[in-house]
Amino acid sequence: MTIFMRAYDIIKKKRDGAELSREELSFLISAYLSNKIPDYQMSSFLMAVYFRGMTDAETIALTELMLASGSRLDFSDISTPKVDKHSTGGVGDKTSIILAPLIAAMNVKVPMIAGRGLGHTGGTIDKLESIPGLRTDLSIKEFKDNVKGLGFSIISQTDEIAPADKKLYSLRDVTATVESIPLIAASIMSKKLAEGLGGLVLDVKVGKGAFMKNIRDAGKLASTMVHIGNAMGVKTIAVLTGMNQPLGKTIGNGLEIKECISALRGKMPDDLKEVVLTLGAWMVYIAGCVTEEAEAPRLSERMLMAYKLKLIDFIENGGAFKKFVEFVDAQYGDPGVAFKPDMIPSAARVKEIRIPAKGYIQEMDAEKAGIASMLLGAGRQQAGDRIDHSAGIVLNKKTGDYITPDEPVAMFHYNDETHINEAEEIFISGLQVGDIPPDKKPVIIDVVI
Ligand code: URA
């Protein structure tokens, strides 16, 4: 017997805090995908979820339904472990571009489907597209061939992968319903579970520049995603990392690629290095656990250090850099960029940003720095906006550094000066300066397993 369902009743049920059945969620997702439910009703449903949350059963059902709306890649013909990492989104977060070639150099396959930046956060795909000629819209066949041959590939979300998430994410983005733990968890996991992975390491950002502003919410998001991943047969762990200030020394696409190239040649700022090595150690470790039946146990400090040293070896012996060069070539980019990063287009103008204060930077608000970079042209305010790959910010100073009015804190790179004053104002409003050095906060906050 078919049960008659209406979007109205499902919205009302969620609004009133009741648990939805899998059938109700399935009806909603498939009717929305086939345009039988309008955006206004779906928006209303998303807002009800934002306020009421979802039970674990609802979140798992939603993830499975979004995953099933597209295809799941089959890499069963590759016997080497396949592992990916995914970040919940941050400012200056370029770790994927360093980690994918590094982990592939260690003979672990990395099939990575990445996203674009939106609002104040950046996206791996936009960063990569600042490399002349490089394409991220490969066919699934090319993607698979590169993963098999080269060891990794990074492509943008195709229409075949979790199309329900693609449609829902655009709606969430304009209806203030992104920052919901079950919606973020289902969105990320539906895409990641489509990659045919054995293991997954999640970088859950926490702080001013992240969707999760406090450790409690970030921990809940992490454990929700770890639970979904493991329940669906992918060994999953999450690392909570700090996003109060931008990661590394650059924000903006081309500038970040230049920083990645120098990282792959062994030069990394401390905070970026700590995040890269920690996530990388977990990726290699989880790859080793993929073939075992049991859950991955916690990695001891001694083992973690041993993996980090191994990763450093693969940077120092040029293995990671070589993989990056091969990747650029395989994805139709100009591999010369790796040797001459100046081939990446630069902005026509550079402005020094100074503040009339002396002292130690107590805080550099990552969200405000991300918005400033977006206003310079590096990001989009709305999905579909064009971005300027050469725009962005180079940070000369970061939290804990001493500044004087004579030294620029940052350099703004831009071509279009329309929003330069606003960008400067917002960036400076995110800086706090004091007489004594602030306590050093660890960038690695916790691991959820
Ligand atoms: N990244 C995603 O892919 N989805 C979200 O909901 C948030 C960040």
Side-chain angles (χ1 to χ4, degrees):
M1 187 183 69
T2 354
I3 302 166
F4 177 70
M5 287 192 205
R6 289 190 314 162
Y8 176 92
D9 300 320
I10 298 173
I11 298 166
K12 185 161 174 282
K13 194 168 168 187
K14 182 45 62 187
R15 182 200 69 188
D16 296 342
E19 184 179 56
L20 299 176
S21 68
R22 188 188 176 85
E23 290 67 35
E24 285 165 325
L25 287 167
S26 170
F27 164 78
L28 210 60
I29 296 295
S30 61
Y32 182 59
L33 254 187
S34 52
N35 301 319
K36 290 188 190 115
I37 292 180
D39 280 351
Y40 58 80
Q41 276 190 310
M42 201 50 163
S43 310
S44 174
F45 171 74
L46 293 170
M47 195 55 88
V49 173
Y50 178 89
F51 282 112
R52 288 295 190 172
M54 277 185 155
T55 62
D56 283 353
E58 284 177 308
T59 312
I60 291 185
L62 181 63
T63 311
E64 284 172 350
L65 291 163
M66 297 212 298
L67 170 64
S69 70
S71 43
R72 211 170 167 170
L73 302 184
D74 178 13
F75 281 129
S76 54
D77 49 334
I78 305 179
S79 57
T80 329
K82 289 148 297 263
V83 171
D84 192 10
K85 87 121 247 290
H86 191 84
S87 149
T88 54
V91 179
D93 179 13
K94 65 247 341 144
T95 53
S96 291
I97 299 161
I98 305 165
L99 276 167
L102 175 56
I103 302 304
M106 295 176 77
N107 202 25
V108 174
K109 306 284 186 202
V110 186
M112 190 179 275
I113 298 172
R116 294 188 184 278
L118 205 51
H120 72 279
T121 64
T124 299
I125 295 301
D126 293 328
K127 295 174 205 203
L128 286 173
E129 286 178 355
S130 59
I131 298 175
L134 191 133
R135 279 182 40 210
T136 57
D137 60 346
L138 304 191
S139 67
I140 295 293
K141 179 174 181 319
E142 281 178 299
F143 177 59
K144 277 174 141 183
D145 287 347
N146 285 352
V147 173
K148 264 192 210 174
L150 171 65
F152 82 105
S153 181
I154 307 177
I155 58 165
S156 43
Q157 189 179 359
T158 66
D159 289 338
E160 290 140 282
I161 305 288
D165 169 62
K166 211 172 174 189
K167 191 164 179 201
L168 275 177
Y169 193 83
S170 312
L171 189 62
R172 286 169 57 211
D173 191 49
V174 291
T175 54
T177 50
V178 169
E179 298 95 331
S180 147
I181 291 173
L183 295 179
I184 294 178
S187 163
I188 290 179
M189 296 308 286
S190 63
K191 289 181 289 243
K192 292 289 119 179
L193 293 167
E195 288 176 342
L197 302 172
L200 175 63
V201 175
L202 296 158
D203 178 3
V204 178
K205 301 283 183 202
V206 53
K208 290 180 190 289
F211 289 129
M212 297 294 120
K213 307 287 182 208
N214 62 63
I215 294 180
R216 197 179 52 91
D217 288 347
K220 173 85 179 101
L221 175 60
S223 53
T224 305
M225 292 195 288
V226 167
H227 176 63
I228 296 172
N230 286 324
M232 293 174 74
V234 176
K235 290 213 159 98
T236 306
I237 71 116
V239 182
L240 264 57
T241 70
M243 187 34 72
N244 274 326
Q245 67 167 338
L247 190 63
K249 298 232 160 158
T250 56
I251 312 167
N253 306 293
L255 294 169
E256 290 192 45
I257 291 291
K258 289 178 190 170
E259 190 172 7
C260 290
I261 293 170
S262 98
L264 287 163
R265 285 180 168 279
K267 220 170 132 231
M268 263 188 268
D270 289 347
D271 59 346
L272 180 60
K273 187 170 183 180
E274 190 51 29
V275 176
V276 164
L277 293 182
T278 304
L279 296 173
W282 280 100
M283 286 172 85
V284 180
Y285 169 68
I286 213 136
C289 300
V290 163
T291 45
E292 293 158 28
E293 284 297 312
E295 300 245 313
R298 190 171 273 271
L299 194 49
S300 71
E301 277 306 313
R302 193 178 57 79
M303 289 293 287
L304 187 64
M305 184 48 76
Y307 280 114
K308 286 182 179 177
L309 292 174
K310 206 97 218 90
L311 290 156
I312 292 172
D313 277 352
F314 275 85
I315 295 176
E316 286 180 352
N317 71 17
F321 180 75
K322 184 165 172 284
K323 279 280 168 213
F324 177 76
V325 175
E326 288 167 4
F327 156 76
V328 174
D329 196 26
Q331 298 207 184
Y332 308 100
D334 187 337
V337 154
F339 303 92
K340 283 196 201 144
D342 286 347
M343 285 168 65
I344 295 168
S346 305
R349 300 176 199 194
V350 178
K351 179 172 185 188
E352 293 184 346
I353 306 299
R354 298 163 198 269
I355 56 168
K358 214 183 219 181
Y360 294 92
I361 300 183
Q362 309 290 313
E363 201 176 286
M364 176 181 275
D365 186 313
E367 181 170 15
K368 290 186 172 169
I371 295 172
S373 176
M374 177 187 77
L375 290 170
L376 295 175
R380 37 179 94 71
Q381 309 204 38
Q382 294 197 351
D385 283 356
R386 274 177 70 85
I387 57 168
D388 177 351
H389 286 99
S390 63
I393 303 176
V394 175
L395 302 165
N396 296 354
K397 305 279 180 183
K398 292 196 55 181
T399 304
D401 288 341
Y402 191 80
I403 57 162
T404 68
D406 303 329
E407 290 174 287
V409 180
M411 314 294 273
F412 280 8
H413 292 236
Y414 63 103
N415 292 304
D416 178 354
E417 62 184 2
T418 315
H419 298 295
I420 183 82
N421 292 337
E422 253 173 291
E424 185 167 351
E425 219 168 274
I426 196 150
F427 177 78
I428 290 176
S429 74
L431 294 176
Q432 279 180 32
V433 179
D435 293 335
I436 48 166
D439 290 338
K440 211 169 158 38
K441 293 202 182 103
V443 68
I444 307 297
I445 297 168
D446 202 0
V447 176
V448 176
I449 201 156

